[in-house]
Amino acid sequence: MSILVTGGAGYIGSHTCIELLNAGYEIVVVDNFYNSKKESLNRIAELSGKQFAFYECDIRDAEGMDKIFKNEKIDAVIHFAGLKAVGESCQKPVEYYDNNIGGTLTLCDVMRKNGCKKIVFSSSATVYGSNNISPLKETMQTGGTTNPYGTTKYMIEIILSDLFKSDEEWAISLLRYFNPIGAHKSGRIGEDPNGIPNNLMPFITQVAIGKRECLSVFGDDYDTPDGTGVRDYIHVVDLALGHIKALEKVLGGTGLDIYNLGTGTGYSVLDVVKAFEKASGVKVNYKIVDRRPGDIATCYSDPSKALEELGWKAERGIEEMCEDSWRWQSQNPNGY
Ligand code: NAD
Ligand code: UFG
């Protein structure tokens, strides 16, 4: 079985490549290194002890993608490639719609022309918008996204659903991730953000290692137990394993399914700071500042559908997530 992994050099993609190789799949990786480094691919090979095909290609390049499908026998696609920074998407909406939606349309077109109709897609909890009350269930209404990034995920879900309605030979899995953190146990691969991190955990680890002075906690007046925002943090290896289960399902038949990939437990910003300090033994300097525009108070999943239908559940707790994030950061202070 050969699986095309778009965006396989990135954070979630690299961890998923390892689990795919460990599970005995052959993989073909495509990435344009817009937000990743070639070194991550060397480390996937090192950790798995396996070689794999790689193509440096933009998924919007229809000809380039077609060549990959002609060269390789692709059974299914796991589609991570996309731009993901919420703030940046407000500054560069055209680039976000072009890359995320344009890229997915080109990919689907090349897939169907080559007779490959199985895809697992990286969606996001952001599609639930701000009006649903957690725990979030797959049956809840989506939309009302507050930034172009979130809107691309919402629109791609609609596009893939319409594709399935038009041709029920497709097998499509829409995975709504909650907040991935953590890293591979080896400390050899992890999240390597460019510039100032937007997300909580890479910011915390960079403060802990001395690259940044102080964490700004965005608001302590939310309606949550300690006033700071609550999220469903999930270990990236658990997330990667969720992809293997979703892949098995699309390989096994046709249909369109949507799954939350989360733990079902919410932690506040200050809970995460405390858990990180405990796991690393390092004090994290922080200050409370104003709320960040667009943030919601609370967001966590009901992950029961993935357990019932895929037999998947997140196994790794917040302490392990913090330990593994810290191991990656401390062993690779400047990333790859
Ligand atoms: P990432 O930026 O680390 O990985 C994405 C990869 O895709 C990068 O290697 C990048 O170079 C590549 N890429 C981007 N555009 C491309 C293009 N046009 N052609 C080829 N390659 C391209 O991000 P990640 O955190 O690993 O996220 C993977 C996917 O999961 C993304 O679609 C993201 O939107 C989604 N997601 C991420 C989170 C999160 O918090 N990390 C949450 C929900 C959903
Ligand atoms: N936070 C801080 N300080 C920081 C960064 C974050 O206090 O420097 C807080 C936020 O206010 C929020 C929590 O930490 O309460 C988590 O923030 P992140 O930026 O890490 O994550 P978000 O929940 O805002 O968004 C993430 C991804 C999105 C995705 C969403 C839902 O960045 O791409 O989860 O899946 F859409």
Side-chain angles (χ1 to χ4, degrees), residues 129-333:
S130 48
N131 293 326
N132 291 302
I133 310 243
S134 292
L136 299 167
K137 290 183 78 69
E138 292 86 347
T139 47
M140 286 175 169
Q141 199 176 354
T142 55
T145 45
T146 53
N147 57 77
Y149 163 73
T151 305
T152 67
K153 294 295 176 190
Y154 172 64
M155 287 180 172
I156 294 168
E157 285 202 357
I158 295 174
I159 290 167
L160 292 176
S161 305
D162 285 343
L163 180 59
F164 178 71
K165 279 183 217 151
S166 75
D167 178 358
E168 294 196 349
E169 282 179 10
W170 279 83
I172 300 175
S173 187
L174 308 178
L175 302 182
R176 294 178 179 160
Y177 311 159
F178 284 70
N179 290 56
I181 60 170
H184 191 266
K185 264 281 167 276
S186 61
R188 296 290 288 158
I189 61 168
E191 187 172 10
D192 183 17
N194 282 329
I196 303 170
N198 301 299
N199 296 116
L200 179 63
M201 183 53 83
F203 207 105
I204 290 179
T205 60
Q206 291 197 7
V207 171
I209 200 107
K211 285 181 85 169
R212 317 235 163 242
E213 211 148 284
C214 182
L215 168 72
S216 293
V217 174
F218 298 138
D220 68 350
D221 55 353
Y222 285 106
D223 183 15
T224 61
D226 65 17
T228 66
V230 168
R231 297 288 182 278
D232 184 340
Y233 296 94
I234 172 167
H235 197 295
V236 67
V237 172
D238 278 325
L239 193 64
L241 291 167
H243 288 73
I244 309 292
K245 295 291 191 182
L247 177 66
E248 284 166 8
K249 174 125 197 206
V250 299
L251 287 172
T254 60
L256 178 125
D257 293 293
I258 305 176
Y259 298 105
N260 285 338
L261 295 184
T263 65
T265 304
Y267 289 101
S268 74
V269 177
L270 295 181
D271 288 335
V272 177
V273 170
K274 276 184 223 135
F276 180 84
E277 290 181 335
K278 185 159 173 258
S280 66
V282 181
K283 190 111 199 73
V284 176
N285 193 15
Y286 73 85
K287 62 174 190 274
I288 308 291
V289 302
D290 286 347
R291 292 181 179 194
R292 180 171 65 178
D295 274 355
I296 54 174
T298 302
C299 172
Y300 61 91
S301 64
D302 175 340
S304 54
K305 186 178 175 205
L307 178 60
E308 281 154 25
E309 295 188 12
L310 300 177
W312 172 89
K313 112 178 191 304
E315 306 280 355
R316 294 158 181 79
I318 191 75
E319 197 158 315
E320 191 171 349
M321 298 182 213
C322 292
E323 279 168 15
D324 294 344
S325 292
W326 179 234
R327 189 177 305 102
W328 155 252
Q329 177 73 76
S330 47
Q331 289 183 12
N332 307 267

Side-chain angles (χ1 to χ4, degrees), residues 7 9-12 31-36 57-60 80-82 84 99 122-124 149 153 177 180:
Y11 172 47
I12 305 170
D31 205 299
N32 65 357
F33 299 117
Y34 178 85
N35 195 38
S36 53
C57 182
D58 191 301
I59 58 161
R60 290 166 293 180
F80 294 105
K84 64 162 183 176
N99 196 74
S122 300
S123 189
S124 166
Y149 163 73
K153 294 295 176 190
Y177 311 159

Side-chain angles (χ1 to χ4, degrees), residues 61-136:
D61 171 1
E63 235 175 82
M65 293 299 291
D66 190 61
K67 276 191 193 138
I68 299 175
F69 277 85
K70 298 271 182 316
N71 280 351
E72 312 281 345
K73 199 206 150 303
I74 306 292
D75 296 289
V77 177
I78 305 185
H79 177 31
F80 294 105
L83 306 181
K84 64 162 183 176
V86 172
E88 186 186 59
S89 76
C90 301
Q91 310 306 318
K92 298 180 175 175
V94 174
E95 284 82 351
Y96 270 68
Y97 288 114
D98 178 43
N99 196 74
N100 292 8
I101 297 183
T104 304
L105 289 173
T106 301
L107 174 67
C108 290
D109 193 34
V110 172
M111 285 177 70
R112 68 175 170 182
K113 283 180 177 152
N114 285 279
C116 175
K117 296 185 180 178
K118 296 182 180 294
I119 185 168
V120 176
F121 173 64
S122 300
S123 189
S124 166
T126 195
V127 301
Y128 289 111
S130 48
N131 293 326
N132 291 302
I133 310 243
S134 292
L136 299 167

